[in-house]
Amino acid sequence: MGTLASLDNVFYPPGGIGYIMSDIADLVHNKIQGKKEIIINCSAQPNSHPHLGTVTTMMTSFAVGKYLGDYYSLPVKVIFDQLENSPAQKLTVDGVIYQKSLADIIQDGQSLADKNMEFFRYIFAELSKKTGVPHIIRSYEEYQKLPTVRRVLLQILQNHDRFARIVSPSDQKLHVRFPCPVCKFADKHARTIKIMDMTEDSISLVSRCFEHGEHKITIREDNQDFVDFNAALRDLIKGAFIIEEDQENETLSIMVDGGDWSGVWALRVHCEGLLELGYSQIATRVFAPVIVDWSGAKFSKSLYVRKGAYDYLPKGLIDFSAFLSMYGMEGFDKLWGEVQEWVKKPSKLFRNYSVDYFQLILDK
Ligand SMILES: [Zn+2]
């Protein structure tokens, strides 16, 4: 009898898609005809140094890109959407939650987002070197300016209640917000935000800062007033955006996200949202394995930030800077070797892995 946690004791039962697919290249076989390039799209909030789950998801993006590019003899690139608009600081005033983003907190002349991106940039450079797959880092600031993104956002805002029911089932409010120009705090749940003026191609919104009063933006396809929206809207708008881009450029874009965004989230927010927008297709998506703790819960960055949650684990697994000093590039290569195996077999890619499993691999 084997011991409970042992690398001799790892199983890959087929589950779901694994029953009907023996090679992940078959997933895009019906979509690749006439395409000139494969684009892998991934994103992350640089709200701390990347932890194990973030690193393996980034690795999965490159491994999927490399595998499909080789299989179909097409050029591939990875586009990483950096979410420097993610909240870094929160404040409640009169029952309204305000947030300040990673981009708007400056320490020693550098934003918190830029500071945390250091390790993300390092990992991307390493993965591009290993695979020959180039990457582009796109800031949220650049992304929200793109005419297609703004056009889809306008369509959603013009039909507020219909979309709010889909992407915000409990709150029924679209979380579109923008920071006060003076103090940079934004109304997280859009409690004070009102539509002032709406035409077919333009919407003006007003928000109220707890200290500096009302401030206003206008959203048009061709203007650049900064506008932020929450994860559900990002997920839906990204889907519409890449469908449009692919049609225009004859590319095949594949969204790669952590597996915690699959299942009911993807069906509800992404698929129902795209149907409501009038699309008759959905974006191609691949979900990376979720790294789970001993109880099966997602290994979570926000829990890691809450002191003590993972005190029982080696620090290298929760913070990439500690990972490098503990396991070195040899450890990085072990992880990369593991992820490369995943993309060769659907039964290895479409399942989750525990932190304990990685400890065994890294200690091997
Ligand atoms: Zn203010």
Side-chain angles (χ1 to χ4, degrees):
M1 212 173 89
T3 53
L4 219 63
S6 146
L7 289 177
D8 301 327
N9 213 5
V10 181
F11 307 109
Y12 301 97
I17 196 79
Y19 282 113
I20 55 168
M21 197 171 72
S22 57
D23 191 314
I24 65 154
D26 298 335
L27 191 64
V28 296
H29 197 252
N30 61 338
K31 301 174 179 172
I32 201 90
Q33 189 73 34
K35 300 294 186 186
K36 292 179 183 156
E37 188 185 22
I38 296 170
I39 300 172
I40 305 294
N41 190 287
C42 56
S43 60
Q45 308 188 342
N47 51 11
S48 59
H49 292 157
H51 71 50
L52 184 63
T54 321
V55 176
T56 53
T57 299
M58 292 194 274
M59 286 181 166
T60 304
S61 301
F62 279 83
V64 166
K66 169 80 177 146
Y67 185 83
L68 294 178
D70 287 350
Y71 189 96
Y72 288 108
S73 304
L74 282 172
V76 186
K77 70 171 174 251
V78 169
I79 297 181
F80 173 74
D81 279 313
Q82 166 196 302
L83 301 173
E84 81 279 3
N85 54 321
S86 311
Q89 198 182 328
K90 280 183 200 163
L91 190 66
T92 305
V93 184
D94 297 332
V96 177
I97 302 170
Y98 294 87
Q99 65 181 31
K100 204 187 254 196
S101 78
L102 291 163
D104 287 326
I105 294 193
I106 311 293
Q107 292 173 348
D108 309 322
Q110 199 185 24
S111 78
L112 207 48
D114 273 345
K115 209 165 150 188
N116 290 335
M117 275 300 291
E118 178 195 348
F119 285 105
F120 286 83
R121 282 192 284 263
Y122 176 86
I123 293 168
F124 283 127
E126 278 301 318
L127 293 174
S128 276
K129 207 159 70 186
K130 285 184 189 303
T131 55
V133 172
H135 70 273
I136 293 168
I137 296 176
R138 178 168 57 195
S139 68
Y140 176 80
E141 216 265 328
E142 289 171 65
Y143 175 74
Q144 61 85 35
K145 282 182 195 166
L146 297 170
T148 309
V149 171
R150 298 177 85 84
R151 191 172 68 240
V152 178
L153 177 62
L154 275 174
Q155 190 185 341
I156 292 171
L157 279 169
Q158 278 157 344
N159 299 283
H160 182 284
D161 294 355
R162 267 167 49 207
F163 284 98
R165 278 195 287 270
I166 294 172
V167 300
S168 184
S170 297
D171 197 27
Q172 308 235 341
K173 180 116 185 136
L174 295 174
H175 293 180
V176 175
R177 63 240 165 169
F178 42 99
C180 164
V182 184
C183 66
K184 303 292 183 186
F185 273 104
D187 173 355
K188 180 175 171 63
H189 297 124
R191 294 285 176 264
T192 70
I193 292 175
K194 289 185 191 80
I195 295 177
M196 293 299 284
D197 191 33
M198 182 161 75
T199 66
E200 206 179 309
D201 48 19
S202 165
I203 285 186
S204 295
L205 300 171
V206 68
S207 180
R208 186 172 43 79
C209 171
F210 53 90
E211 201 176 339
H212 304 103
E214 289 196 335
H215 53 103
K216 191 180 126 178
I217 60 163
T218 297
I219 305 166
R220 288 195 320 267
E221 197 178 320
D222 61 353
N223 81 337
Q224 304 200 332
D225 284 2
F226 181 83
V227 60
D228 181 29
F229 36 87
N230 71 345
L233 282 167
R234 272 202 310 273
D235 191 86
L236 172 56
I237 293 171
K238 176 65 67 65
F241 173 72
I242 67 174
I243 290 170
E244 302 273 344
E245 289 281 294
D246 280 353
Q247 266 166 4
E248 201 179 314
N249 305 322
E250 296 176 344
T251 47
L252 176 72
S253 295
I254 301 170
M255 288 170 74
V256 177
D257 295 286
D260 46 326
W261 302 104
S262 68
V264 176
W265 170 282
L267 286 170
R268 170 66 184 231
V269 171
H270 199 80
C271 299
E272 288 190 36
L274 286 172
L275 283 174
E276 193 67 38
L277 279 168
Y279 290 94
S280 56
Q281 57 174 310
I282 61 162
T284 304
R285 306 188 75 166
V286 168
F287 294 98
V290 183
I291 310 306
V292 295
D293 71 7
W294 66 271
S295 75
K298 183 201 166 190
F299 194 45
S300 150
K301 253 199 301 203
S302 39
L303 265 183
Y304 141 65
V305 175
R306 195 193 302 163
K307 262 198 157 72
Y310 295 129
D311 276 356
Y312 66 96
L313 288 173
K315 191 150 192 295
L317 297 178
I318 36 188
D319 178 336
F320 188 70
S321 60
F323 179 93
L324 282 185
S325 38
M326 247 181 109
Y327 302 108
M329 276 318 278
E330 195 194 336
F332 187 84
D333 289 342
K334 281 182 182 172
L335 281 187
W336 173 238
E338 170 69 17
V339 173
Q340 280 179 296
E341 289 305 308
W342 294 352
V343 300
K344 292 180 190 162
K345 256 190 139 177
S347 59
K348 288 190 170 181
L349 182 61
F350 299 116
R351 56 160 277 173
N352 298 330
Y353 292 88
S354 67
V355 179
D356 314 65
Y357 174 77
F358 281 99
Q359 271 186 282
L360 289 176
I361 285 180
L362 290 164
D363 291 340
K364 196 162 67 174

